[in-house]
Protein backbone atom coordinates (compact mmCIF):
# COMPACT_ATOMS: atom_id res chain seq x y z
CA UNK A 1 0.00 0.00 0.00
CA UNK A 2 1.22 3.51 -0.79
CA UNK A 3 2.13 5.54 2.27
CA UNK A 4 -0.41 8.31 2.92
CA UNK A 5 2.20 11.11 2.72
CA UNK A 6 3.09 10.13 -0.86
CA UNK A 7 -0.56 10.39 -1.77
CA UNK A 8 -0.19 14.19 -1.75
CA UNK A 9 2.84 14.21 -4.09
CA UNK A 10 2.65 14.34 -7.91
CA UNK A 11 3.46 11.11 -9.76
CA UNK A 12 5.81 12.79 -12.25
CA UNK A 13 8.42 15.53 -11.93
CA UNK A 14 6.80 18.80 -12.97
CA UNK A 15 3.19 17.57 -12.72
CA UNK A 16 0.78 19.67 -10.62
CA UNK A 17 0.15 18.72 -6.99
CA UNK A 18 -2.86 16.42 -6.47
CA UNK A 19 -6.02 18.00 -5.10
CA UNK A 20 -6.79 16.70 -1.63
CA UNK A 21 -10.42 17.93 -1.67
CA UNK A 22 -12.68 17.21 -4.61
CA UNK A 23 -14.40 20.43 -5.79
CA UNK A 24 -18.16 20.26 -5.29
CA UNK A 25 -20.08 22.16 -7.99
CA UNK A 26 -23.58 21.91 -9.48
CA UNK A 27 -23.45 18.46 -11.12
CA UNK A 28 -27.07 17.52 -11.70
CA UNK A 29 -26.40 16.20 -15.19
CA UNK A 30 -23.40 15.24 -17.29
CA UNK A 31 -24.62 15.99 -20.80
CA UNK A 32 -23.09 13.73 -23.46
CA UNK A 33 -22.34 14.97 -26.97
CA UNK A 34 -20.67 13.36 -29.98
CA UNK A 35 -17.91 15.70 -31.12
CA UNK A 36 -17.66 13.91 -34.48
CA UNK A 37 -21.13 15.24 -35.30
CA UNK A 38 -20.76 18.78 -36.66
CA UNK A 39 -24.42 19.63 -36.13
CA UNK A 40 -24.09 18.70 -32.47
CA UNK A 41 -20.83 20.62 -32.10
CA UNK A 42 -22.56 23.75 -33.43
CA UNK A 43 -25.03 23.43 -30.55
CA UNK A 44 -22.33 23.11 -27.87
CA UNK A 45 -22.54 26.74 -26.60
CA UNK A 46 -26.34 26.42 -26.30
CA UNK A 47 -25.99 23.03 -24.50
CA UNK A 48 -23.45 24.63 -22.16
CA UNK A 49 -26.08 27.15 -21.05
CA UNK A 50 -28.52 24.34 -20.17
CA UNK A 51 -26.29 21.67 -18.61
CA UNK A 52 -24.20 21.64 -15.45
CA UNK A 53 -21.43 19.57 -17.11
CA UNK A 54 -20.69 18.90 -20.81
CA UNK A 55 -18.95 15.69 -21.85
CA UNK A 56 -17.43 14.93 -25.24
CA UNK A 57 -17.91 11.19 -25.68
CA UNK A 58 -15.24 9.17 -27.47
CA UNK A 59 -16.22 5.66 -26.35
CA UNK A 60 -19.30 3.48 -26.99
CA UNK A 61 -21.92 4.96 -29.34
CA UNK A 62 -19.12 6.52 -31.43
CA UNK A 63 -18.48 4.11 -34.35
CA UNK A 64 -14.90 2.85 -34.89
CA UNK A 65 -14.52 4.85 -38.11
CA UNK A 66 -15.52 8.10 -36.29
CA UNK A 67 -13.17 7.74 -33.29
CA UNK A 68 -10.53 10.09 -34.69
CA UNK A 69 -13.10 12.61 -35.89
CA UNK A 70 -14.63 12.63 -32.39
CA UNK A 71 -11.24 13.22 -30.77
CA UNK A 72 -10.37 16.03 -33.22
CA UNK A 73 -13.85 17.53 -32.81
CA UNK A 74 -13.40 17.61 -29.05
CA UNK A 75 -10.02 19.33 -29.39
CA UNK A 76 -11.75 21.98 -31.51
CA UNK A 77 -14.52 22.40 -28.92
CA UNK A 78 -11.92 22.71 -26.14
CA UNK A 79 -10.00 25.34 -28.09
CA UNK A 80 -12.78 27.37 -29.63
CA UNK A 81 -16.21 26.93 -28.04
CA UNK A 82 -17.55 29.42 -25.54
CA UNK A 83 -18.79 27.24 -22.68
CA UNK A 84 -19.39 30.17 -20.33
CA UNK A 85 -17.78 28.42 -17.36
CA UNK A 86 -19.54 25.05 -17.79
CA UNK A 87 -16.99 22.32 -17.04
CA UNK A 88 -15.80 20.24 -20.01
CA UNK A 89 -15.27 16.51 -19.43
CA UNK A 90 -14.54 13.64 -21.76
CA UNK A 91 -15.16 9.89 -21.76
CA UNK A 92 -12.12 8.26 -23.36
CA UNK A 93 -12.09 4.81 -24.92
CA UNK A 94 -11.57 1.81 -22.67
CA UNK A 95 -8.07 0.93 -21.49
CA UNK A 96 -7.89 -2.23 -23.63
CA UNK A 97 -8.89 -0.40 -26.83
CA UNK A 98 -6.58 0.69 -29.66
CA UNK A 99 -7.66 4.34 -29.24
CA UNK A 100 -7.20 5.24 -25.59
CA UNK A 101 -3.48 6.04 -25.64
CA UNK A 102 -3.95 8.57 -28.44
CA UNK A 103 -7.08 9.91 -26.72
CA UNK A 104 -5.09 10.71 -23.59
CA UNK A 105 -1.94 11.99 -25.34
CA UNK A 106 -3.90 14.23 -27.71
CA UNK A 107 -6.45 15.59 -25.25
CA UNK A 108 -4.04 16.35 -22.41
CA UNK A 109 -1.50 17.81 -24.82
CA UNK A 110 -3.96 19.94 -26.76
CA UNK A 111 -6.72 20.94 -24.33
CA UNK A 112 -5.50 19.70 -20.94
CA UNK A 113 -6.05 23.17 -19.46
CA UNK A 114 -9.74 23.06 -20.49
CA UNK A 115 -10.55 19.48 -19.43
CA UNK A 116 -11.63 19.13 -15.83
CA UNK A 117 -12.41 15.44 -15.64
CA UNK A 118 -11.61 12.35 -17.70
CA UNK A 119 -14.16 9.58 -17.43
CA UNK A 120 -12.59 6.14 -17.72
CA UNK A 121 -14.96 3.35 -18.77
CA UNK A 122 -15.02 -0.29 -17.68
CA UNK A 123 -12.72 0.19 -14.68
CA UNK A 124 -12.13 -3.24 -13.14
CA UNK A 125 -9.94 -2.44 -10.16
CA UNK A 126 -7.47 0.04 -8.64
CA UNK A 127 -4.77 -1.08 -11.14
CA UNK A 128 -6.71 0.64 -13.95
CA UNK A 129 -6.76 3.91 -12.00
CA UNK A 130 -3.05 3.60 -11.15
CA UNK A 131 -2.21 3.25 -14.84
CA UNK A 132 -4.19 6.36 -15.81
CA UNK A 133 -2.93 8.27 -12.77
CA UNK A 134 0.78 7.93 -13.66
CA UNK A 135 0.23 8.48 -17.37
CA UNK A 136 -1.79 11.65 -16.72
CA UNK A 137 0.94 12.98 -14.41
CA UNK A 138 3.56 12.44 -17.15
CA UNK A 139 1.36 14.11 -19.76
CA UNK A 140 0.47 17.00 -17.46
CA UNK A 141 4.17 17.61 -16.78
CA UNK A 142 4.93 17.55 -20.51
CA UNK A 143 2.08 19.97 -21.26
CA UNK A 144 3.05 22.26 -18.37
CA UNK A 145 -0.39 22.07 -16.77
CA UNK A 146 -0.93 23.85 -13.47
CA UNK A 147 -4.08 22.03 -12.35
CA UNK A 148 -4.43 18.25 -12.18
CA UNK A 149 -7.04 16.61 -14.40
CA UNK A 150 -9.42 14.53 -12.30
CA UNK A 151 -10.55 10.97 -13.03
CA UNK A 152 -14.09 9.60 -12.94
CA UNK A 153 -14.59 5.82 -13.18
CA UNK A 154 -17.59 4.10 -14.72
CA UNK A 155 -18.79 1.21 -12.58
CA UNK A 156 -19.96 -1.17 -15.26
CA UNK A 157 -18.34 -4.58 -14.84
CA UNK A 158 -18.91 -7.31 -12.28
CA UNK A 159 -15.24 -7.08 -11.30
CA UNK A 160 -15.53 -3.31 -10.92
CA UNK A 161 -18.46 -3.75 -8.52
CA UNK A 162 -16.47 -6.36 -6.56
CA UNK A 163 -13.58 -3.84 -6.24
CA UNK A 164 -15.59 -0.65 -5.89
CA UNK A 165 -14.09 0.48 -2.57
CA UNK A 166 -10.49 0.04 -3.81
CA UNK A 167 -11.31 1.93 -7.01
CA UNK A 168 -12.77 4.85 -5.05
CA UNK A 169 -9.64 5.02 -2.87
CA UNK A 170 -7.08 4.39 -5.63
CA UNK A 171 -5.88 7.97 -6.19
CA UNK A 172 -6.44 11.55 -5.04
CA UNK A 173 -7.33 12.15 -8.70
CA UNK A 174 -10.59 10.20 -8.23
CA UNK A 175 -13.42 12.74 -8.59
CA UNK A 176 -16.34 10.34 -8.68
CA UNK A 177 -18.04 7.38 -10.26
CA UNK A 178 -20.94 6.77 -12.59
CA UNK A 179 -23.12 3.71 -12.61
CA UNK A 180 -23.21 2.03 -16.06
CA UNK A 181 -26.19 -0.35 -16.18
CA UNK A 182 -25.82 -1.38 -19.84
CA UNK A 183 -22.28 -2.76 -19.71
CA UNK A 184 -22.84 -4.05 -16.19
CA UNK A 185 -25.84 -6.08 -17.40
CA UNK A 186 -23.71 -7.61 -20.17
CA UNK A 187 -20.77 -8.28 -17.86
CA UNK A 188 -23.01 -10.07 -15.38
CA UNK A 189 -24.91 -11.96 -18.07
CA UNK A 190 -28.17 -10.45 -16.94
CA UNK A 191 -31.01 -11.34 -19.30
CA UNK A 192 -31.94 -7.80 -20.26
CA UNK A 193 -31.61 -5.82 -23.50
CA UNK A 194 -31.94 -2.22 -22.29
CA UNK A 195 -30.00 0.72 -20.84
CA UNK A 196 -31.01 1.25 -17.20
CA UNK A 197 -34.47 1.36 -15.71
CA UNK A 198 -36.58 -1.52 -14.40
CA UNK A 199 -37.77 -4.72 -16.03
CA UNK A 200 -41.32 -6.07 -15.96
CA UNK A 201 -40.02 -9.58 -15.16
CA UNK A 202 -38.08 -8.60 -12.02
CA UNK A 203 -40.75 -8.49 -9.33
CA UNK A 204 -42.17 -9.78 -6.06
CA UNK A 205 -45.66 -11.26 -5.77
CA UNK A 206 -47.99 -11.67 -2.78
CA UNK A 207 -48.91 -15.13 -1.47
CA UNK A 208 -51.68 -17.13 -3.21
CA UNK A 209 -55.15 -15.94 -2.29
CA UNK A 210 -57.40 -18.14 -0.07
CA UNK A 211 -59.88 -17.71 -2.92
CA UNK A 212 -57.84 -20.12 -5.04
CA UNK A 213 -54.76 -20.31 -7.24
CA UNK A 214 -56.36 -18.34 -10.07
CA UNK A 215 -57.42 -15.37 -7.92
CA UNK A 216 -55.47 -12.17 -8.77
CA UNK A 217 -52.37 -11.40 -6.67
CA UNK A 218 -50.65 -8.07 -6.15
CA UNK A 219 -47.21 -7.94 -7.72
CA UNK A 220 -44.65 -5.15 -7.96
CA UNK A 221 -41.55 -4.52 -10.04
CA UNK A 222 -38.34 -4.35 -8.05
CA UNK A 223 -35.24 -2.24 -8.63
CA UNK A 224 -32.57 -4.28 -10.44
CA UNK A 225 -29.83 -1.79 -9.56
CA UNK A 226 -30.42 -1.05 -5.90
CA UNK A 227 -27.61 -3.22 -4.53
CA UNK A 228 -24.86 -1.96 -6.83
CA UNK A 229 -25.86 1.72 -6.63
CA UNK A 230 -25.88 1.38 -2.84
CA UNK A 231 -22.35 -0.02 -2.89
CA UNK A 232 -21.18 2.74 -5.21
CA UNK A 233 -22.71 5.49 -3.05
CA UNK A 234 -21.07 4.09 0.10
CA UNK A 235 -17.68 3.68 -1.59
CA UNK A 236 -17.82 7.25 -2.91
CA UNK A 237 -19.06 8.86 0.32
CA UNK A 238 -16.45 6.95 2.34
CA UNK A 239 -13.71 8.41 0.11
CA UNK A 240 -14.97 11.98 -0.33
CA UNK A 241 -15.82 11.57 -4.02
CA UNK A 242 -19.11 11.97 -5.93
CA UNK A 243 -21.51 9.23 -7.12
CA UNK A 244 -23.68 9.60 -10.26
CA UNK A 245 -26.33 7.45 -11.91
CA UNK A 246 -25.38 6.89 -15.59
CA UNK A 247 -27.53 6.53 -18.72
CA UNK A 248 -31.25 5.90 -19.21
CA UNK A 249 -31.65 4.65 -22.77
CA UNK A 250 -35.39 4.98 -23.42
CA UNK A 251 -35.34 8.66 -24.35
CA UNK A 252 -39.11 8.81 -24.96
CA UNK A 253 -39.88 7.43 -21.48
CA UNK A 254 -39.30 10.55 -19.41
CA UNK A 255 -41.47 9.16 -16.59
CA UNK A 256 -39.30 6.02 -16.28
CA UNK A 257 -36.17 8.17 -16.49
CA UNK A 258 -37.45 10.44 -13.73
CA UNK A 259 -38.18 7.46 -11.45
CA UNK A 260 -34.70 6.01 -12.04
CA UNK A 261 -33.00 9.37 -11.45
CA UNK A 262 -35.10 10.03 -8.32
CA UNK A 263 -34.19 6.68 -6.74
CA UNK A 264 -30.51 7.53 -7.34
CA UNK A 265 -30.94 11.06 -5.92
CA UNK A 266 -32.60 9.77 -2.76
CA UNK A 267 -29.85 7.18 -2.30
CA UNK A 268 -27.14 9.86 -2.43
CA UNK A 269 -26.18 10.37 -6.09
CA UNK A 270 -25.47 13.99 -7.05
CA UNK A 271 -26.52 13.70 -10.70
CA UNK A 272 -27.01 11.49 -13.76
CA UNK A 273 -26.09 11.43 -17.44
CA UNK A 274 -28.30 13.12 -20.00
CA UNK A 275 -28.24 11.69 -23.51
CA UNK A 276 -30.86 14.05 -24.94
CA UNK A 277 -31.88 17.65 -24.08
CA UNK A 278 -35.16 16.25 -22.73
CA UNK A 279 -33.20 14.40 -20.02
CA UNK A 280 -31.46 17.64 -18.98
CA UNK A 281 -34.85 18.91 -17.86
CA UNK A 282 -35.62 15.67 -16.02
CA UNK A 283 -32.28 15.75 -14.20
CA UNK A 284 -32.72 19.41 -13.27
CA UNK A 285 -36.10 18.63 -11.75
CA UNK A 286 -34.90 15.57 -9.86
CA UNK A 287 -31.46 16.60 -8.61
CA UNK A 288 -32.55 20.06 -7.38
CA UNK A 289 -34.24 19.42 -4.02
CA UNK A 290 -37.96 20.21 -3.75
CA UNK A 291 -38.59 23.77 -2.50
CA UNK A 292 -40.93 22.37 0.17
CA UNK A 293 -38.22 20.03 1.51
CA UNK A 294 -35.69 22.87 1.51
CA UNK A 295 -38.04 25.17 3.43
CA UNK A 296 -38.66 22.41 5.97
CA UNK A 297 -34.91 21.84 6.36
CA UNK A 298 -34.35 25.58 6.86
CA UNK A 299 -37.08 25.60 9.51
CA UNK A 300 -35.35 22.77 11.42
CA UNK A 301 -31.94 24.48 11.25
CA UNK A 302 -33.43 27.78 12.39
CA UNK A 303 -35.21 26.10 15.31
CA UNK A 304 -32.04 24.25 16.44
CA UNK A 305 -29.21 26.72 15.88
CA UNK A 306 -26.53 24.58 17.55
CA UNK A 307 -27.74 21.32 15.95
CA UNK A 308 -27.93 19.49 19.29
CA UNK A 309 -30.45 17.83 21.56
CA UNK A 310 -33.94 16.58 20.94
CA UNK A 311 -36.76 18.82 19.68
CA UNK A 312 -40.32 18.33 18.42
CA UNK A 313 -41.15 20.32 15.29
CA UNK A 314 -44.67 19.91 13.82
CA UNK A 315 -45.01 16.62 15.70
CA UNK A 316 -41.76 15.16 14.30
CA UNK A 317 -38.76 14.27 16.46
CA UNK A 318 -35.60 16.16 15.48
CA UNK A 319 -32.11 15.56 16.81
CA UNK A 320 -28.46 15.94 15.81
CA UNK A 321 -28.88 13.41 12.99
CA UNK A 322 -31.97 14.97 11.39
CA UNK A 323 -30.24 18.37 11.69
CA UNK A 324 -27.31 16.98 9.68
CA UNK A 325 -29.69 15.67 6.99
CA UNK A 326 -31.26 19.12 6.82
CA UNK A 327 -27.80 20.67 6.43
CA UNK A 328 -27.11 18.41 3.40
CA UNK A 329 -30.35 19.60 1.82
CA UNK A 330 -29.79 23.31 2.53
CA UNK A 331 -26.14 23.26 1.46
CA UNK A 332 -27.17 21.74 -1.88
CA UNK A 333 -30.01 24.26 -2.28
CA UNK A 334 -27.65 27.17 -1.57
CA UNK A 335 -25.10 25.95 -4.11
CA UNK A 336 -27.76 25.49 -6.82
CA UNK A 337 -29.43 28.81 -6.00
CA UNK A 338 -26.18 30.61 -6.79
CA UNK A 339 -26.31 29.21 -10.30
CA UNK A 340 -30.06 29.38 -10.93
CA UNK A 341 -32.09 32.52 -10.08
CA UNK A 342 -35.40 30.63 -10.42
CA UNK A 343 -34.35 28.12 -7.79
CA UNK A 344 -33.08 30.92 -5.58
CA UNK A 345 -36.53 32.43 -5.59
CA UNK A 346 -38.28 29.08 -5.11
CA UNK A 347 -36.09 28.30 -2.08
CA UNK A 348 -36.57 31.79 -0.63
CA UNK A 349 -32.78 32.28 -0.41
C1 LIG B 1 -22.69 3.10 -19.72
O1 LIG B 1 -21.65 3.27 -20.29
C2 LIG B 1 -23.31 1.83 -19.59
O2 LIG B 1 -22.70 0.85 -20.06
O3 LIG B 1 -24.41 1.78 -19.03
MG1 LIG C 1 -20.79 1.43 -20.91
Amino acid sequence: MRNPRDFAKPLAVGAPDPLLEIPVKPSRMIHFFDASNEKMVAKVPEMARQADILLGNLEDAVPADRKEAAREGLVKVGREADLGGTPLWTRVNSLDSPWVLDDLITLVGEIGDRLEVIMVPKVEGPWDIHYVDRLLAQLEAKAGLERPILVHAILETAQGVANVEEIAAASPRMQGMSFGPADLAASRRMKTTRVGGGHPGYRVIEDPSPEGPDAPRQSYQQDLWHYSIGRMVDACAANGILPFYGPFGDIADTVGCEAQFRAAFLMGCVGAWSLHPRQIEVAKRVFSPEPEEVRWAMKVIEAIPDGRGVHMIDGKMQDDATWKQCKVMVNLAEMLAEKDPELKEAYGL
Side-chain angles (χ1 to χ4, degrees):
M1 202 179 95
R2 226 171 135 203
N3 95 55
R5 276 186 201 88
D6 280 356
F7 221 63
K9 293 181 189 154
L11 287 176
V13 175
D17 285 343
L19 295 184
L20 297 181
E21 286 283 337
I22 292 307
V24 177
K25 306 180 180 185
S27 309
R28 295 166 293 181
M29 74 299 293
I30 306 167
H31 188 64
F32 274 52
F33 69 93
D34 175 355
S36 75
N37 178 334
E38 279 175 23
K39 264 207 212 136
M40 223 182 245
V41 169
K43 289 195 189 136
V44 158
E46 187 190 322
M47 289 189 276
R49 284 194 290 278
Q50 311 294 323
D52 289 344
I53 296 163
L54 268 187
L55 179 145
N57 178 33
L58 306 183
E59 200 223 9
D60 292 357
V62 176
D65 62 355
R66 308 282 307 155
K67 294 288 186 191
E68 279 172 29
R71 191 190 296 141
E72 292 315 317
L74 184 56
V75 168
K76 201 159 169 305
V77 166
R79 286 211 189 115
E80 295 171 14
D82 176 8
L83 305 181
T86 300
L88 181 64
W89 293 19
T90 184
R91 175 171 77 167
V92 293
N93 286 289
S94 61
L95 297 178
D96 60 356
S97 76
W99 304 290
V100 64
L101 188 60
D102 288 334
D103 290 345
L104 292 168
I105 292 173
T106 304
L107 294 175
V108 179
E110 302 290 330
I111 55 166
D113 55 335
R114 292 294 309 273
L115 273 183
E116 260 183 40
V117 175
I118 293 182
M119 189 182 268
V120 182
K122 301 175 180 67
V123 172
E124 306 254 48
W127 53 88
D128 285 338
I129 302 300
H130 296 157
Y131 168 77
V132 174
D133 200 6
R134 179 78 73 174
L135 182 56
L136 283 180
Q138 293 166 346
L139 295 172
E140 286 167 345
K142 192 165 175 215
L145 298 187
E146 287 169 7
R147 170 187 55 75
I149 296 173
L150 301 178
V151 166
H152 182 108
I154 311 182
L155 191 65
E156 55 181 350
T157 66
Q159 204 177 173
V161 175
N163 292 320
V164 65
E165 287 87 10
E166 288 89 342
I167 294 170
S171 158
R173 237 185 245 285
M174 282 298 296
Q175 178 271 350
M177 253 184 236
S178 283
F179 185 70
D183 269 299
L184 183 57
S187 162
R188 281 181 175 156
R189 301 198 195 105
M190 288 167 64
K191 307 304 178 289
T192 53
T193 52
R194 39 181 80 195
V195 179
H199 192 288
Y202 191 72
R203 55 203 309 127
V204 289
I205 188 165
E206 73 176 345
D207 280 359
S209 160
E211 280 157 37
D214 296 330
R217 292 153 70 174
Q218 283 285 3
S219 172
Y220 298 96
Q221 259 184 245
Q222 300 290 292
D223 183 354
L224 279 166
W225 311 114
H226 179 79
Y227 156 78
S228 310
I229 293 180
R231 285 203 56 193
M232 177 184 75
V233 169
D234 281 343
C236 288
N239 286 285
I241 68 172
L242 307 174
F244 292 72
Y245 176 77
F248 188 88
D250 189 345
I251 306 294
D253 182 12
T254 50
V255 174
C257 179
E258 181 156 345
Q260 177 77 77
F261 284 8
R262 181 153 289 116
F265 172 66
L266 287 168
M267 282 183 76
C269 290
V270 299
W273 300 1
S274 51
L275 307 178
H276 185 279
R278 199 178 285 167
Q279 294 184 336
I280 296 182
E281 291 315 310
V282 177
K284 226 175 239 181
R285 198 159 54 241
V286 172
F287 291 98
S288 312
E290 293 284 341
E292 212 175 293
E293 291 263 26
V294 174
R295 278 195 290 272
W296 165 257
M298 290 197 291
K299 184 169 162 172
V300 173
I301 291 170
E302 222 171 81
I304 320 175
D306 66 354
R308 305 239 166 95
V310 69
H311 304 256
M312 291 302 283
I313 301 177
D314 297 352
K316 297 189 183 89
M317 193 276 285
Q318 306 297 327
D319 65 0
D320 310 46
T322 58
W323 187 90
K324 286 179 200 157
Q325 292 177 52
C326 291
K327 266 310 242 194
V328 169
M329 193 76 83
V330 172
N331 288 348
L332 175 59
E334 284 174 348
M335 179 178 73
L336 296 176
E338 259 181 54
K339 177 177 168 122
D340 184 336
E342 266 175 44
L343 279 178
K344 190 173 164 113
E345 195 176 326
Y347 295 151
L349 287 165

